[in-house]
Amino acid sequence: MGDRADKAARLETDVLVIGAGAAGMTAALAAAEAGARVILADRSLVGRSGATIMAQMTVAVALGEEVPDHWEHHFADTIQAGRGLCDAHLAQLVCEHGAREIRRLDGWKVGWARKPDGTIRQAHAPGHDRPRCVYVDFLSTGPAVAKTLRGRVIRQDGVTRIGDLCIVDLTVVDGAVTGAVAVSVADGRPVQLQAGAVVLATGGLTRLYRRNSASANMGGDGYALALRAGAELMDMEFVQFFPIGHLAPRLVGMDPIMWDPFRYKLGGRLLNAEGRDFMNDYGNQEAGQYNVTRDRATHAILSEVKAGRGSPAGGAYLSFQHLDEATLREAFGPVIDRLAKNGIDLGQMPVEVAPIAHYHMGGVRVDNRLETRVRNLFAAGEVVAGANGANRLSGNAITEALVFGREAGREAGRRALGASAATPAPAPAGAFDLVRAARAGGEAELAGAMTRLQAVMADDVGPFRTAAGLERALAAIAELEAEIGDMPPGQPGPYNQARLDWFDLRSMLLVAKTVARSALARQESRGAHQRDDHPLMASNWALHQTLELAGNELVLGRAPVQGAELSQVA
Amino acid sequence: MSATARLIVRRGRPGEPPSTSLYEIPYTPGASVLDGLRYVRAQLDPSLSVRHSCINANTCKECMILVDGKVEYACTARLEPREMKLEPLPNKAHLKDLVTEIAPPDERLDHALAARAGVGA
């Protein structure tokens, strides 16, 4: 190791935004527009990693282009889907300001699909009372949003973009965040970032699960950063499984969540091994229209598998065989050719689908201005808890990323500028210990750890849960924590991926524990949290569970739901 | 016996004598080269560096390498039950194993340090 890797690089800024998906890029734009100097840092490439670019589907917003609509209707559907746990203020923020952000992107030429008369097309996605979801053809919503925002960020004065920067810890002095400690992935250098305010826009935790629909960067690192900095987490037990993730045959070059819009545009049929529609056997009323929310559809598919009526690979069949070739070609466009390259001919065969970890409703607890209880630490996008309660309505993720990104970025910008007279605080003692730590070997011992964690989470902290399974998971997580130890393996250096794995595991194991602990304590079934040993929803559980770190111990608490009763909004 | 793929992977950092590792992994029809490399990292050798962000969707475009001398995305190139030679891109600065420097120059740390006149701590 040379001097270069040992010496910390130091950067100073008004606002540090961590994560460069839709939420982070929007936050960077908003903070810079407020006059702040911004560093936009990403673990991989700016605008190309994380969940946004993988979002192939739709964005829910009450534009009223397809049919008359008002944000209050969108709000009512959001609250309904959230099963009593939505924070009404945050949900209102998403629904009320969503239209403004979608129009802004339209002005930036994102390319929302339009009808010949120029109106924006809005699809009727499950859980919505009317057609409300905008999209970019074909399956290009996320890539188009990411590319458009990246283009704006590049042209925005005051934003410095840094890719391949892995944030390891936030620094906190006297209860206020002062920046972060990071590793420059390309060369292993430690980096100190000093900031007047920080926006966490790190996304969710789907990488904790064996089958997931997001990128390798979604390991819940933002939750761990927040916890260790002294912020609270909330609703961690609510992990959304996307019901019809692609399962078989093997499909490469396409994200596994691709089937949803085709199912609701074309009426794709979901069948069990006996070739029978089963969705309505589970108390749903799906009559020709695909309108069952994600928690219920996941429950129905996995119940069929459990009853021995699953498809060969362990899911359900999704069939478009009732449609002729011309209809399929028109709806799927070039996607048909990509499917053909994978040996899939939809006119001739069904595919197999199964629930796949997709989104996390829980996250960092924030106030109405998206600030955590750590002063000057804000959060935006999926990392925020509350807007989606116990189950997210389809289409709300990108809306939430854009709205929260704008609010959090602007607030953080104002805050940092208001405090600009303050001298940058030095990093707290010991802040660089982990990123500078060097020891001989240790890489090989990490083999299997990630896979085991993902198996434990999928099997015992997945869509179906029991006390026994959750206890088993917590024991397995503790074993893994002991195995990986408290020091990263090897030496700092260029693209030392085993070392990155260790930093990822450090966060993932902490976050896994928060999910399992909350799930064990919640003795009821609600939305995405289904307990086989407590199968009913209990009215006394209409509350949030919170988590904080006291020393190395996780402390579970409770908080009331800030919100409107359903009767008031329906 | 089930079929195996034999991956011959270029290892090491710039300035080190060139070396390779041989990994024999189970072959599943339809699997990608990246599936194979992820299997190696997860089960056999975590010290192997392979960059990727998305796993399967071909959206992050980070996993470009040479497969048998040809430029390919590891996530869309198919694994085959034979010997396959995997190397880093030849036209980018080499960092480690299969990883090259692909970030745009103005999104790298050194660029930010110069722009912000940062100093060593």
Side-chain angles (χ1 to χ4, degrees), chain A residues 424-509:
Chain A
F432 288 93
D433 289 357
L434 276 183
V435 296
R436 283 199 170 118
R439 62 183 167 117
E443 293 93 341
E445 285 80 352
L446 293 178
M450 198 76 81
T451 315
R452 270 161 58 209
L453 173 62
Q454 289 168 328
V456 164
M457 293 301 285
D459 296 340
D460 285 331
V461 200
F464 291 124
R465 299 160 175 182
T466 62
L470 291 163
E471 298 276 14
R472 192 162 54 227
L474 284 164
I477 293 165
E479 262 175 46
L480 283 163
E481 279 182 322
E483 271 177 42
I484 73 158
D486 52 9
M487 279 254 285
Q491 323 269 327
Y495 225 95
N496 186 334
Q497 205 163 347
R499 219 172 145 85
L500 288 175
D501 285 348
W502 185 90
F503 281 107
D504 285 340
L505 279 165
R506 169 182 178 241
S507 292
M508 290 168 79
L509 289 167

Side-chain angles (χ1 to χ4, degrees), chain B residues 4-12 19-27 33 36-50 79-86 96-98:
Chain B
T4 56
R6 293 161 55 85
L7 303 181
I8 300 171
V9 183
R10 167 75 198 277
R11 300 299 304 275
S19 66
T20 57
S21 295
L22 169 66
Y23 303 107
E24 296 206 20
I25 58 169
Y27 165 74
V33 169
L37 289 168
R38 289 174 55 232
Y39 178 89
V40 170
R41 291 210 70 252
Q43 305 299 339
L44 307 176
D45 185 0
S47 78
L48 173 67
S49 291
V50 183
L79 194 67
E80 289 172 36
R82 60 173 176 86
E83 209 166 86
M84 301 183 85
K85 193 174 170 193
L86 308 179
K96 181 172 182 286
D97 303 339
L98 294 178

Side-chain angles (χ1 to χ4, degrees), chain A residues 4 8-13 38-39 44-46 48-49 53-54 150 158 160-164 184 186 189 191 214-217 250-255 341-342 443 447-448 451 494-495 497-498 501, chain B residues 13 29-32 35 41-43 46-62 75-76 78 95-96 99 101-104 106-110 112-113 116 118-121:
Chain A
R4 187 177 160 85
R10 199 175 79 217
L11 282 161
E12 190 266 322
T13 190
V38 179
I39 286 178
S44 290
L45 301 179
V46 172
R48 281 216 258 150
S49 77
I53 197 163
M54 321 250 315
R150 184 177 150 77
T160 301
R161 293 158 281 132
I162 309 177
D164 289 333
S184 166
R189 248 184 303 178
V191 182
S215 84
N217 298 330
R250 185 78 177 95
L251 175 60
V252 305
M254 302 208 55
D255 190 68
K341 275 193 199 156
N342 283 276
E443 293 93 341
T451 315
Y495 225 95
Q497 205 163 347
D501 285 348
Chain B
R13 296 174 185 167
S32 67
D35 289 338
R41 291 210 70 252
Q43 305 299 339
S47 78
L48 173 67
S49 291
V50 183
R51 97 170 270 161
H52 69 93
S53 169
C54 79
I55 294 161
N56 191 65
N58 194 226
T59 52
C60 74
K61 312 288 185 189
E62 291 181 30
C75 75
T76 53
R78 299 282 181 171
L95 296 178
K96 181 172 182 286
V99 180
E101 178 62 275
I102 57 165
D106 62 348
E107 295 182 2
R108 298 180 193 169
L109 177 63
D110 281 329
L113 287 169
R116 296 280 176 124
V119 290

